[in-house]
Amino acid sequence: MRYLGKQEIEDIAIGAALLGTGGGGDPYIGKLMALQAIEEHGPIKLLDPEEVPDEAVIVPSAMMGAPTVMVEKIPSGEEAITAFESLKSNLSTEIYATMPIEAGGVNSLLPFALAARQGLPVIDSDGMGRAFPELQMVTFYLDGLSATPMVLSDEKGNGMVLNTINSVWAERLARGATIEMGGSVMLAIYPMTGEQMKSSSIRNSLSLEENIGRSIREAKEKNYNPVDSVLELTNGYELFQGKVKDINRKTESGFARGTATIEGIHHDKGKELELNFQNEHLMATADGELLCVTPDLIAVLDAETGMPITTEGLRYGARCIVIGMPCDEKWRTEQGIATAGPGYFGYDVNYTPVEQLNEQEGNHDA
Amino acid sequence: MMHNYRIGIDVGGTHTDAVILDQEFNVISETKQQTTTDVSTGIYHAVKEVLDSSNVPKDQINYAMLGTTHCTNAIVERKRLNNVGVIRIGAPATLGIKPLVGVPDDLRNILGQHVHIVRGGHEFDGRTIAELDTEKIYEIAHDLKGKVDSVAITSVFSPVSTEHEYEAYNILQEVLGDDVSLSVSSEIGSVGLLERENATILNAAVVNVARSTADGFINALKKEGVDAKVFFGQNDGTLMSVEYTVKYPILTIACGPTNSIRGASYLTNQSDALVIDVGGTTTDIGVLTGSFPRQSSLAVEIGGVRTNFRMPDITSVGIGGGTIVRENSDGTIKLGPDSVGYQLQEKALVFGGDTVTTTDIVVAKGLAQVGEPSHLSNLSEDFVDQAYRTLVENVEVAIEKMKTSAEPIPVILVGGGSILLPDELEGASVVHRPNNFGVANAIGSAIAQVSGQIERVFALDELGREATIEHAKQLAMNEAINAGASENDLEIVDFEDVPLAYLPGNATKIKAKAAGTLAE
């Protein structure tokens, strides 16, 4: 157990942007909410998963809706509390702690504001180890846990309890309600026991974010290359160094889809990387050769500062380093690949772990 | 014969430049003066010098255009800022991040003395989140009376519905009268509550600075016997009247780079190009598209505050004519980022000083003729070559960053330091070096157009879509004419319509901006 103050939150926000793999929503709003909550209520208690009793009840907290709405209609902070209170009475039990369902993007930070206000601890784990766009793309779903009973709440005080036959229905009904409630709501979702959390969640992802954020910050302060320490922390591979040559975007059924072409520099001179994204960066190929594909993680870092670049932030001429990082083993099962692998996103390649893709080649060292 | 002259002035970090143009925009005289700490003295020197060095009759100078950094400096230095009242309309939403959270503490202490959040605001589709708490607004207005110089009003989704902002505006004006200036967020920024609110608060904070700058400028002109109509440059390359400037002073921020881009466009007759402005300390690179600067799409920080209002997309490299050149222990070259700035004439080797600057390097290379080249005999050829290559490469990397495609594009070099750069640059199809390149920014200020803008929700059912759009464009043009634009070449330079679902009458928000040359 340890306490998180403002500096830790700043670091986690940078790590969250990196594990957001280009999407996940700008962590900025979540960061400021957490900072204000710390100013008003003091530091936040962070628990290692092992410190949580097996029989304790854990309820993750997350936002659902359009990040573009949330940057204008900022949450009141009460939504998440209303959702929690409502789920608590529905379950007729006390809630021991909260956690993010998603490491990466804004959802990685939002549970901290709730925790500070309620005096609840946050558990150092999540349900993705990265960012994904849909509610069923979590390890809890892979392990057969139910997303419901779940509660959606808005800032006006409306709450809605959902009991659905599966997570896909939960996703469908919640999307519709979210629009009626004003485009952005807070969820109390996937209630589970401490035992279930320990076996199903991805552990220590918040500490990983913090370490990533700290190493990028310190690299900047001390003027050394931040990429090496990021690769060491994530067991990642440097896939490519280059500059963005072309970006092709279109918005389809609510997703920002597209490709970016990156022209190689230094040891990648003469090669070209194609990066496919749908909210998140999902597939990287160089001259027709697969380098990394979802559910493994792909992040694009600014070559100078090491700061993560989002899919919207990709601009012609930007010099960047593309890195690939192995996902959690849970995503590498048959069901994991069916849920969030290349086929689900419409890419016609077979999933191969990033380690194999890059060790075969033998020209990039971890 | 009666002529119609104008003075254009641009205040930069190092120099304050001024030009006098005739009605065909020929440069009659130009000057470069040092920018002073108080800014106004430098402006006065430039005005005096440019008048003295020309034979233009003072009564034939009809216009004076000023692009200035007063407001930027006030924010960056946290000096001379107003006592500001901050009102956010949006509760119960938005309480999770109160106004000014995320703003640097020193500024938050100055601007955060009177902060209020009241019920109200709209959803993304124009429905209300809550009714506006007008009683609370009255209460706040009475409380602020006598305590503040200006008030910033921001409502949730005001870019979609301005209703609550203007209701609050009317109440505040009723209680506080005309002495307190009111800044309304929907007139300043776009979607993104915190960034728009920050920009509105900063706007409210520099109202008095803008007012005293305008008064000072008008007085400086009067003192010289010039009775001209005064305009201020804004960051989209158009002019605004003094009344408008005092209301929206934040729009003057970053007008300098915009002026140099517009001036470069005018001097070379190019409408699409990359403009590289090399000053004493930095090189600013902007993109000219359709004769106007390309706007940035990312959040812009001013004095450490995140804002989202329109700004020219500029990348800066820490290389200018006064940049100090050093050799690293491994033999590589380090350029700047520090510069001798306006002390170039004393500190550079070529002028008898003891500091190696980029100017010394280009003189040693034989690419420019200033000062006394014999002072440079101690610089090794190797060192000079390497420093020059580093300098050009750094600028070329920045060029590559700013381009939107791999195609080479025309490059225009302006600014006093542009002698540093060669006639061929990677990524450039051609390199232009216009006459009067040293004062392109002051010229850009002098030739700027006048604009007028409207932003309003229209019910398309009344007139139909086409007729409504025409009507809106006409309203914007009327605004521009009122601001002093000529009817002859008035154009709509910006148009945007956003349909608002859930509102009766097929409501659409239309934003239109018209610009034209100054009426004679």
Side-chain angles (χ1 to χ4, degrees):
Chain A
M1 195 268 288
R2 63 196 176 98
Y3 284 92
L4 303 179
K6 286 181 159 187
Q7 185 60 62
E8 288 80 4
I9 294 295
E10 296 276 359
D11 289 340
I12 288 173
I14 295 174
L18 189 134
L19 295 187
T21 61
D26 187 347
Y28 187 66
I29 295 285
K31 179 183 92 174
L32 290 188
M33 284 182 70
L35 291 178
Q36 176 173 316
I38 290 174
E39 259 179 39
E40 287 171 359
H41 304 276
I44 297 157
K45 195 190 274 183
L46 185 75
L47 295 180
D48 187 271
E50 281 309 314
E51 294 173 291
V52 178
D54 281 350
E55 64 287 355
V57 174
I58 313 299
V59 177
S61 171
M63 76 79 70
M64 182 170 194
T68 47
V69 167
M70 201 175 60
V71 299
E72 177 70 29
K73 191 177 70 171
I74 292 159
S76 77
E78 289 296 318
E79 304 89 341
I81 297 174
T82 312
F84 252 62
E85 292 301 320
S86 169
L87 193 61
K88 198 153 86 180
S89 64
N90 188 280
L91 297 168
S92 323
T93 173
E94 284 302 310
I95 296 172
Y96 183 83
T98 188
M99 61 186 274
I101 60 172
E102 182 169 22
V106 65
N107 263 332
S108 180
L109 276 296
L110 287 170
F112 291 114
L114 168 74
R117 284 159 151 254
Q118 294 294 85
L120 275 177
V122 175
I123 301 166
D124 188 1
S125 69
D126 81 301
M128 293 185 195
R130 51 166 297 155
F132 273 132
E134 292 172 23
L135 279 186
Q136 77 280 5
M137 295 177 174
V138 285
T139 51
F140 316 136
Y141 171 77
L142 302 182
D143 289 326
L145 301 181
S146 171
T148 66
M150 69 183 264
V151 181
L152 291 75
S153 296
D154 65 20
E155 75 289 341
K156 294 171 278 285
N158 296 308
M160 189 166 150
V161 184
L162 285 184
N163 280 293
T164 58
I165 52 171
N166 58 38
S167 296
V168 178
W169 270 102
E171 162 82 25
R172 186 180 299 170
L173 294 177
R175 286 272 164 213
T178 298
I179 291 173
E180 277 309 305
M181 291 164 111
S184 155
V185 298
M186 289 299 297
L187 309 176
I189 188 172
Y190 282 107
M192 67 186 91
T193 64
E195 193 182 6
Q196 288 168 325
M197 180 274 298
K198 281 181 236 181
S199 71
S200 185
S201 72
I202 294 175
R203 295 186 182 204
N204 304 110
S205 40
L206 295 175
S207 292
L208 175 63
E209 288 179 342
E210 188 189 344
N211 291 334
I212 291 172
R214 190 192 314 115
S215 70
I216 293 177
R217 170 170 57 88
E218 287 178 352
K220 204 169 165 184
E221 284 164 6
K222 293 173 190 157
N223 214 359
Y224 58 73
N225 178 8
V227 177
D228 294 342
S229 57
V230 170
L231 293 179
E232 201 182 309
L233 287 165
T234 58
N235 299 314
Y237 297 82
E238 183 183 312
L239 303 177
F240 204 75
Q241 265 196 52
K243 66 181 184 195
V244 179
K245 187 181 147 198
D246 189 36
I247 305 142
N248 186 357
R249 307 172 207 273
K250 44 188 183 225
T251 302
E252 266 176 23
S253 53
F255 289 115
R257 286 170 205 258
T259 53
T261 312
I262 302 173
E263 188 181 270
I265 51 176
H266 302 311
H267 53 252
D268 289 314
K269 205 169 175 89
K271 291 199 274 180
E272 242 177 42
L273 181 95
E274 184 175 288
L275 185 66
N276 294 76
F277 53 86
Q278 294 182 32
N279 287 11
E280 283 80 32
H281 305 304
L282 295 178
M283 183 165 75
T285 43
D287 298 334
E289 194 183 336
L290 186 64
L291 294 184
C292 188
V293 67
T294 177
D296 284 334
L297 289 75
I298 302 167
V300 181
L301 309 181
D302 181 294
E304 244 167 78
T305 62
M307 291 295 274
I309 305 177
T310 61
T311 57
E312 304 100 67
L314 280 175
R315 286 168 39 155
Y316 176 87
R319 281 165 188 252
C320 56
I321 295 171
V322 183
I323 66 173
M325 298 164 277
C327 64
D328 191 87
E329 286 304 322
K330 286 181 186 286
W331 290 115
R332 293 183 164 176
T333 61
E334 204 175 309
Q335 199 199 358
I337 293 164
T339 305
Y344 184 86
F345 290 99
Y347 300 122
D348 190 20
V349 298
N350 287 323
Y351 172 72
T352 312
V354 63
E355 300 92 315
Q356 277 179 40
L357 287 171
N358 290 277
E359 266 153 28
Q360 279 167 4
E361 243 190 88
N363 58 352
H364 294 295
D365 299 319
Chain B
M1 190 185 146
M2 272 303 275
H3 282 280
N4 185 359
Y5 296 98
R6 57 181 69 196
I7 296 186
I9 296 166
D10 184 87
V11 182
T14 316
H15 289 116
T16 297
D17 301 343
V19 291
I20 293 182
L21 305 188
D22 67 13
Q23 66 234 44
E24 275 85 44
F25 293 172
N26 298 308
V27 179
I28 304 298
S29 67
E30 59 173 79
T31 185
K32 239 181 186 355
Q33 299 289 321
Q34 216 168 289
T35 296
T36 51
T37 327
D38 70 342
V39 183
S40 297
T41 309
I43 293 176
Y44 177 70
H45 288 154
V47 168
K48 191 165 164 42
E49 176 60 30
V50 81
L51 283 168
D52 289 352
S53 65
S54 73
N55 296 319
V56 171
K58 289 176 180 171
D59 60 347
Q60 291 181 21
I61 298 175
N62 295 338
Y63 301 113
M65 288 82 171
L66 176 63
T68 180
T69 51
H70 278 92
C71 295
T72 317
N73 290 357
I75 293 167
V76 173
E77 293 164 11
R78 280 82 163 118
K79 279 179 187 158
R80 303 180 299 282
L81 298 174
N82 286 150
N83 291 318
V84 177
V86 175
I87 300 180
R88 182 197 284 172
I89 303 166
T94 79
L95 295 170
I97 306 175
K98 291 179 181 148
L100 297 164
V101 168
V103 167
D105 286 341
D106 54 348
L107 201 56
R108 196 172 162 189
N109 287 337
I110 299 170
L111 302 176
Q113 298 300 315
H114 308 279
V115 176
H116 300 272
I117 308 181
V118 300
R119 287 182 71 84
H122 290 79
E123 301 281 8
F124 68 93
D125 51 15
R127 291 175 292 167
T128 51
I129 297 172
E131 287 307 310
L132 178 65
D133 188 347
T134 50
E135 221 169 285
K136 181 81 184 165
I137 303 270
Y138 271 108
E139 201 180 294
I140 294 166
H142 286 288
D143 178 59
L144 292 179
K145 205 167 183 170
K147 292 184 191 156
V148 298
D149 306 298
S150 56
V151 183
I153 310 164
T154 310
S155 171
V156 172
F157 274 113
S158 66
V160 174
S161 171
T162 57
E163 190 192 339
H164 288 176
E165 284 189 355
Y166 286 116
E167 257 186 270
Y169 178 97
N170 290 337
I171 293 171
L172 287 159
Q173 201 177 37
E174 181 192 322
V175 177
L176 299 171
D178 289 336
D179 292 343
V180 172
S181 171
L182 305 176
S183 299
V184 178
S185 86
S186 53
E187 295 175 358
I188 287 167
S190 53
V191 173
L193 181 78
L194 298 176
E195 291 86 356
R196 188 176 71 253
E197 179 177 68
N198 287 343
T200 311
I201 295 170
L202 291 181
N203 187 70
V206 292
V207 165
N208 286 0
V209 169
R211 191 171 285 146
S212 65
T213 305
D215 291 346
F217 185 46
I218 293 166
N219 288 337
L221 291 168
K222 280 210 177 114
K223 214 160 132 191
E224 288 302 309
V226 176
D227 185 22
K229 189 160 165 51
V230 169
F231 292 91
F232 277 77
Q234 48 178 332
N235 54 30
D236 67 350
T238 64
L239 299 168
M240 44 187 180
S241 63
V242 171
E243 301 75 61
Y244 204 85
T245 307
V246 168
K247 217 163 174 243
Y248 304 110
I250 197 86
L251 300 181
T252 64
I253 283 178
C255 67
T258 303
N259 283 341
S260 85
I261 292 170
R262 293 273 300 154
S265 168
Y266 171 74
L267 289 171
T268 56
N269 211 11
Q270 297 279 319
S271 57
D272 297 277
L274 218 60
V275 177
I276 304 183
D277 186 343
V278 189
T281 309
T282 60
T283 293
D284 294 338
I285 304 180
V287 183
L288 180 68
T289 51
S291 302
F292 280 89
R294 181 173 81 201
Q295 304 281 312
S296 169
S297 55
L298 301 171
V300 181
E301 283 199 359
I302 305 167
V305 182
R306 197 156 127 147
T307 69
N308 67 351
F309 80 110
R310 56 193 165 73
M311 291 271 261
D313 188 5
I314 301 286
T315 191
S316 285
V317 193
I319 296 176
T323 298
I324 298 172
V325 184
R326 296 183 181 89
E327 192 166 357
N328 291 326
S329 50
D330 62 356
T332 56
I333 297 290
K334 186 173 185 299
L335 293 177
D338 46 344
S339 163
V340 297
Y342 63 88
Q343 292 176 301
L344 184 70
Q345 306 268 355
E346 297 143 46
K347 300 232 163 144
L349 289 184
V350 79
F351 294 113
D354 58 1
T355 312
V356 187
T357 66
T358 46
T359 297
D360 298 314
I361 298 296
V362 286
V363 173
K365 280 285 289 179
L367 298 170
Q369 278 118 32
V370 293
E372 185 44 67
S374 64
H375 291 319
L376 305 175
S377 51
N378 282 343
L379 296 179
S380 81
E381 199 175 319
D382 208 38
F383 172 80
V384 169
D385 284 347
Q386 215 189 330
Y388 187 66
R389 213 174 321 121
T390 310
L391 184 163
V392 174
E393 271 170 15
N394 283 355
V395 174
E396 285 175 340
V397 167
I399 291 177
E400 193 60 27
K401 259 194 211 165
M402 291 303 279
K403 285 167 62 184
T404 48
S405 79
E407 291 296 302
I409 59 167
V411 164
I412 309 170
L413 296 180
V414 294
S418 59
I419 51 163
L420 293 187
L421 296 177
D423 288 328
E424 274 176 29
L425 286 164
E426 202 181 306
S429 58
V430 53
V431 174
H432 296 281
R433 287 178 192 274
N435 292 331
N436 308 110
F437 63 86
V439 288
N441 43 3
I443 293 170
S445 171
I447 60 150
Q449 295 181 310
V450 186
S451 65
Q453 181 174 331
I454 61 127
E455 189 168 351
R456 202 178 292 175
V457 177
F458 293 88
L460 295 186
D461 283 358
E462 280 171 34
L463 293 172
R465 188 182 154 79
E466 293 301 312
T468 309
I469 289 176
E470 270 320 299
H471 176 58
K473 288 181 174 174
Q474 194 55 52
L475 289 174
M477 292 197 192
N478 291 347
E479 287 285 315
I481 292 166
N482 288 341
S486 153
E487 290 180 45
N488 301 329
D489 62 350
L490 210 50
E491 265 186 301
I492 296 294
V493 292
D494 191 17
F495 185 84
E496 191 184 287
D497 62 332
V498 186
L500 309 176
Y502 292 95
L503 282 181
N506 206 356
T508 294
K509 187 186 65 140
I510 297 180
K511 184 171 164 184
K513 178 171 200 166
T517 53
L518 264 172
E520 293 298 321

